[in-house]
Amino acid sequence: MKRRDVLIAFAPLAIAGLAAAVFLAVYAYLYVFGTIFGFNVSTLDGSGPRWPFPTMYLSGLTFAIAAPAGIAWALIYTLGIKKIGKSRKSASPSALHTA
């Protein structure tokens, strides 16, 4: 596969990986600074910031949608490329002009 085809085939999986990384980073932030150091890390603690829970919700939802869709898209796209490549090879000009 060409580089362009790889980017097209695996872009949804890359988005899912990025969403998972954001989710885990925020979870690590909440655990380290909230549990270990005892800081106010969210609005549940009182005067903490509001961004952790919406960020975790959006990144988790993005991962839940992009991961299965990315797996399906990668399979469909790569198998489609293999079929197109085989049909192009079988329809070579030398095979068509045998007279």
Side-chain angles (χ1 to χ4, degrees):
M1 286 192 336
K2 296 179 183 176
R3 182 177 176 163
R4 177 181 161 268
D5 292 331
V6 170
L7 290 175
I8 291 171
F10 298 110
L13 285 176
I15 292 170
L18 183 63
V22 168
F23 184 88
L24 291 174
V26 174
Y27 188 79
Y29 159 79
L30 290 172
Y31 180 75
V32 169
F33 289 104
T35 304
I36 295 175
F37 293 133
F39 294 128
N40 292 341
V41 293
S42 70
T43 54
L44 295 176
D45 295 332
S47 62
R50 291 184 174 201
W51 63 268
F53 291 117
T55 304
M56 288 187 74
Y57 176 76
L58 288 176
S59 63
L61 183 65
T62 303
F63 176 77
I65 293 170
I71 291 170
W73 174 251
L75 288 173
I76 291 168
Y77 193 81
T78 55
L79 294 176
I81 286 176
K82 288 181 182 179
K83 286 183 182 180
I84 290 171
K86 287 180 183 179
S87 66
R88 286 184 183 170
K89 288 180 184 177
S90 66
S92 64
S94 62
L96 294 176
H97 299 293
T98 57

